[in-house]
Amino acid sequence: MRNTSVEIAGVKFKNPVMTASGTFGSGMEYSDFVDLNKLGAVVTKGVANVPWEGNPVPRVTEVYGGMLNAIGLQNPGVEVFAERDLRFLDKYDTRVIVNVCGKSVEDYLEVVERLGDEKRVDMLEINVSCPNVKEGAIAFGQNKDALFDITKRIKEKAKQPIIMKLSPNVTSISEMAKAAEAAGADAISLINTITGMKIDIHKRKFALANKTGGLSGPAIKPVAVRMVYEAAHAVNIPIIGMGGIANGSDAIEFIMAGATAVAVGAMNFHDPYATEKVVEEIESYMERYDVSDINSLRGIVE
Ligand SMILES: Cc1cc2nc3c(=O)[nH]c(=O)nc-3n(C[C@H](O)[C@H](O)[C@H](O)COP(=O)(O)O)c2cc1C
């Protein structure tokens, strides 16, 4: 029997494959394609204290090797989320990680407190790295003192372990990872999208109403692997790696760079079966190279 299970902050996952926030809803829309029971965890779309409308359209566009999005964290607010999405997830045997967003520290704290007694929530992923909202959010993820402060305040209130989701739009990912760890984060996840821009030369206009958007998909994978590697050498807390994962080989690459778990994002739009396929392809890799424990591959490249 090969071991695919991994542990993060005392929470055990049946395998290292998760959904990347914002690309899988809360699993409802994908449950006709993917057996959610086969995933390590469902990571939900970002949830705020109150409903957010998101940015004006157009807010997604395709580019070579991926996509740009400027959704702006549209969400129904934590009350609707708890009553509707968490109750939907009750019937599945998979871990649930709720992604939390906010415009001020108080916004984040409100969501964290509201979810504190929700037994269905195994961990919280704190999004301080969305490039598409003007207030708050990214500001916390681009300054190490602000990141330290918000991490510390959330850790004091949170009943579940917290994962700080880091931005690639920084000079030193190691410094940011260290700040999150020093403030008490239980884990970090990276990378969020890389800020990009596309211009429609026929309309002589920006392709997105927001002008800029976050780049995701296979195009960003080498950047993400490099950042996971750097972060893994900077901190001792577990890392959830993501950015352009399209198949099992990509997932193994992140694990070898130092990730404990991985998340599949933009690829879900291209192939709704992607997450389950990644689980199967990791198992095939382990079979092929006679790997008895997935954990033995972590950070194997020095
Ligand atoms: C349409 C879309 C929506 C996203 N929404 C969120 C979100 O709500 N919260 C968050 O932390 N990250 C969000 N992300 C970022 C992804 O979770 C992920 O970090 C990023 O896309 C890189 O992974 P990928 O290349 O596999 O997509 C979103 C990405 C996309 C493409």
Side-chain angles (χ1 to χ4, degrees), residues 23-271:
T23 65
F24 206 78
S26 293
M28 237 175 271
E29 297 86 346
Y30 281 87
S31 56
D32 288 342
F33 304 98
V34 175
D35 179 358
L36 302 184
N37 297 310
K38 296 219 170 111
L39 305 182
V42 168
V43 181
T44 71
K45 167 84 188 148
V47 182
N49 55 338
V50 291
W52 289 9
E53 268 183 24
N55 290 326
V57 293
R59 49 190 194 176
V60 287
T61 186
E62 278 189 60
V63 294
Y64 289 124
M67 61 184 284
L68 286 173
N69 94 81
I71 303 286
L73 300 176
Q74 180 182 350
N75 78 93
V78 69
E79 272 320 315
V80 170
F81 170 80
E83 299 306 319
R84 185 190 65 190
D85 299 37
L86 288 180
R87 298 301 66 91
F88 162 79
L89 287 163
D90 275 341
K91 54 182 185 283
Y92 293 99
D93 172 27
T94 186
R95 295 292 186 187
V96 173
I97 299 177
V98 178
N99 184 282
V100 180
C101 56
K103 291 175 180 158
S104 66
V105 179
E106 287 66 33
D107 286 358
Y108 285 91
L109 291 175
E110 219 177 300
V111 181
V112 166
E113 280 197 312
R114 169 64 184 84
L115 295 175
D117 293 323
E118 287 285 353
K119 296 286 168 268
R120 193 64 192 94
V121 179
D122 295 296
M123 296 185 89
L124 301 169
E125 180 180 56
I126 313 299
N127 179 9
V128 284
S129 45
C130 179
N132 302 321
V133 289
K134 294 201 169 48
E135 315 97 317
I138 187 76
F140 300 111
Q142 284 184 324
N143 173 304
K144 71 177 165 46
D145 297 330
L147 177 65
F148 179 91
D149 182 59
I150 191 171
T151 305
K152 198 159 184 291
R153 291 186 62 190
I154 290 175
K155 181 64 190 164
E156 280 163 11
K157 278 263 153 52
K159 292 200 179 151
Q160 294 93 347
I162 63 164
I163 305 160
M164 297 306 292
K165 183 159 181 182
L166 304 185
S167 170
N169 304 305
V170 295
T171 314
S172 166
I173 197 72
S174 306
E175 289 303 311
M176 301 305 282
K178 281 183 189 162
E181 182 183 49
D186 297 285
I188 50 175
S189 57
L190 63 150
I191 60 175
N192 209 317
T193 54
I194 301 175
T195 310
M197 181 181 276
K198 180 178 169 183
I199 294 164
D200 182 330
I201 60 162
H202 305 290
K203 293 185 184 152
R204 302 182 181 198
K205 279 177 143 179
F206 296 106
L208 298 172
N210 191 53
K211 298 185 186 174
T212 59
L215 177 63
S216 59
I220 70 170
K221 198 189 81 179
V223 177
V225 172
R226 186 263 297 175
M227 288 194 158
V228 165
Y229 176 82
E230 286 179 359
H233 282 75
V235 297
N236 292 314
I237 48 176
I239 296 173
I240 301 167
M242 71 200 79
I245 294 178
N247 52 46
S249 307
D250 294 341
I252 298 281
E253 212 179 322
F254 276 84
I255 292 169
M256 288 189 173
T260 297
V262 296
V264 180
M267 195 61 191
N268 289 307
F269 301 128
H270 180 75
D271 174 6

